[in-house]
Amino acid sequence: MSILGIDFGTSNSLAAIINNGKLEFVEFDGEKSTPTVLFFPAISLLKKTNRDYEFGYKAIEAKYDEHEIGRLVFSFKGLLADRSFDSTAIPVYGSFTAEKFCSYFLKQIKATAENQFKTIFDSVVLGR
């Protein structure tokens, strides 16, 4: 059984595993934590095509790239407790609930860990 530990924070998140009794952190662009943000590009002005969303540091970089148009989403974890929030529309991507934002972000955390450690994680311990 491969278990990934995730500290899912409002501002920043991190993930780690225990490997042979030692704690090993997932690296996000050379860092142990990553901003808890998503960027949904509507269109790349240079490529003129739609593409997948970005998370973490790459999301922030994409938002401030003069050739990108899209939406930066942050503090979405806080929406989980907001009973008045139903959903919001992201152009090109459709309607998003708080749970959907969180799942998009956590999916990228897991994919980054699986790529780094060359393993499939079948269980997660999630802290907040």
Side-chain angles (χ1 to χ4, degrees):
M1 179 185 309
S2 298
I3 302 171
L4 177 64
I6 300 174
D7 179 4
F8 181 41
T10 303
S11 299
N12 292 285
S13 296
L14 59 86
I17 64 169
I18 302 292
N19 188 12
N20 295 322
K22 292 183 74 177
L23 183 65
E24 292 186 33
F25 287 94
V26 175
E27 290 193 18
F28 304 97
D29 298 311
E31 301 291 333
K32 289 182 181 177
S33 67
T34 190
T36 308
V37 298
L38 296 166
F39 179 73
F40 296 91
I43 191 166
S44 170
L45 294 179
L46 293 178
K47 297 178 184 172
K48 305 278 192 228
T49 59
N50 294 332
R51 61 179 168 74
D52 288 337
Y53 66 98
E54 302 285 358
F55 85 108
Y57 293 107
K58 286 186 174 74
I60 294 170
E61 289 172 17
K63 170 62 179 169
Y64 294 104
D65 181 339
E66 65 186 55
H67 302 290
E68 295 287 348
I69 297 171
R71 184 162 173 198
L72 183 69
V73 182
F74 55 94
S75 299
F76 51 85
K77 180 183 162 191
L79 296 173
L80 292 170
D82 185 350
R83 292 179 188 236
S84 67
F85 180 79
D86 182 23
S87 66
T88 189
I90 304 288
V92 178
Y93 295 86
S95 180
F96 274 74
T97 62
E99 294 84 359
K100 188 171 180 180
F101 283 128
C102 293
S103 71
Y104 269 51
F105 183 79
L106 292 170
K107 181 170 83 172
Q108 291 303 313
I109 295 278
K110 182 178 182 271
T112 302
E114 289 176 342
N115 184 53
Q116 179 180 332
F117 296 115
K118 307 293 186 238
T119 189
I120 303 295
F121 292 100
D122 51 20
S123 296
V124 171
V125 175
L126 186 64
R128 54 174 191 86

